[in-house]
Amino acid sequence: MTDAPILIIEDDPAIRKLLEISLEANGYSVLHAATAKAGKIEAAMHQPELVLLDLGLPDADGQEVLSALREWYTRPIIIVTARDAEAEIIRALDHGANDYLIKPFRTGELMARIRSALRSTQPDPGPSVKTFGNLGIDLAARTVKKDGDPLKLTSTEYALLALFVKNAGKVLTHQFILREIWGPGYIGHSEYPRVFVGQLRKKIEDDPNYPKLILTESGVGYRFAES
Ligand code: CA
């Protein structure tokens, strides 16, 4: 089990309670919200492992919550609703729901669908030690070496480097970096990545003025050189 909770967005207190009891019995920690607005706030604040989302919410349609979450939230979202119209199901799946369960549901089946959704989004970690020229990063031990000597990085510098290394060769936008490292509340603070990339370059690059590892993609973001 992970430490991150599962978020239940559901306005019916009886169903919320049933979900909470079932999830906790299966070892998950649980957060809940009774409205669309509270659900979006809880998701942004707590970065849940998975979201169970009702469609019939008092202040907005759950389909709107789904679309709003999918602008930044990448973990699984399972719709749990009384609505059984095919058009509703198709719309939810097309807008980023991982699964769709119609009430009344069987709790055993829901737990199996949660396990399946969590498995399918677990990235393959690959080998934990990655080398890029004279730089070595051990993602399991969270250590970094340059020319064999340990480097001291702050926790933010390390988080940023690990994000680059896991996405080596891919262009990471400023927005993506902000969301991953600082959270969705920091979108717009584009100076953060620039400052921390500058610090990181001083520590890992042979010549920070001519970076060979963290490459600038002008106006877009950064790309870490492939090993
Ligand atoms: Ca409802």
Side-chain angles (χ1 to χ4, degrees):
M1 288 304 133
T2 63
D3 300 330
I6 287 181
L7 172 62
I8 304 166
I9 306 177
E10 165 67 69
D11 62 321
D12 181 330
I15 294 177
R16 212 161 56 223
K17 194 74 204 161
L18 169 68
L19 288 170
E20 194 173 334
I21 291 168
S22 311
L23 288 166
E24 285 177 348
N26 282 271
Y28 299 102
S29 59
V30 177
L31 287 171
H32 44 72
T35 63
K37 187 174 177 215
K40 285 187 272 189
I41 292 171
E42 288 291 309
M45 282 177 62
H46 299 283
Q47 310 280 322
E49 187 72 356
L50 179 146
V51 174
L52 295 177
L53 176 62
D54 178 28
L55 293 183
L57 294 167
D59 55 335
D61 194 291
Q63 295 274 12
E64 287 169 28
V65 179
L66 173 64
S67 297
L69 288 179
R70 275 298 177 239
E71 285 176 16
W72 63 271
Y73 182 73
T74 56
R75 305 290 303 155
I77 300 175
I78 300 180
I79 305 294
V80 183
T81 180
R83 295 185 196 166
D84 60 358
E86 187 184 15
E88 199 85 54
I89 300 171
I90 290 170
R91 182 176 163 195
L93 294 173
D94 280 349
H95 285 79
N98 296 66
D99 205 346
Y100 193 109
L101 203 58
I102 295 162
K103 295 172 186 167
F105 54 87
R106 290 169 292 205
T107 52
E109 181 182 351
L110 176 62
M111 292 308 136
R113 286 174 184 258
I114 288 172
R115 287 193 296 275
S116 166
L118 290 174
R119 262 197 316 274
S120 66
T121 53
Q122 263 345 303
D124 175 4
S128 75
V129 180
K130 315 250 185 203
T131 52
F132 301 86
N134 56 1
L135 191 74
I137 300 116
D138 187 332
L139 291 168
R142 299 173 62 88
T143 55
V144 183
K145 287 181 178 175
K146 186 166 159 42
D147 297 316
D149 299 324
L151 276 188
K152 262 197 152 60
L153 300 183
T154 67
S155 58
T156 303
E157 288 166 358
Y158 177 80
L160 188 58
L161 179 61
L163 182 69
F164 278 131
V165 164
K166 287 174 193 163
N167 294 285
K170 294 183 201 162
V171 176
L172 305 186
T173 65
H174 298 121
Q175 299 301 311
F176 177 82
I177 295 168
L178 279 165
R179 200 169 58 213
E180 291 293 312
I181 305 292
W182 286 276
Y186 288 82
I187 301 294
H189 289 262
S190 55
E191 73 279 12
Y192 282 32
R194 196 174 61 239
V195 168
F196 280 85
V197 162
Q199 284 178 209
L200 200 49
R201 276 176 173 157
K202 282 187 193 139
K203 295 187 179 179
I204 67 170
E205 300 278 0
D206 289 337
D207 183 349
N209 294 319
Y210 297 94
K212 293 205 166 59
L213 293 169
I214 305 177
L215 309 171
T216 299
E217 294 286 340
S218 209
V220 182
Y222 300 96
R223 180 169 54 87
F224 201 77
E226 281 181 274
S227 52

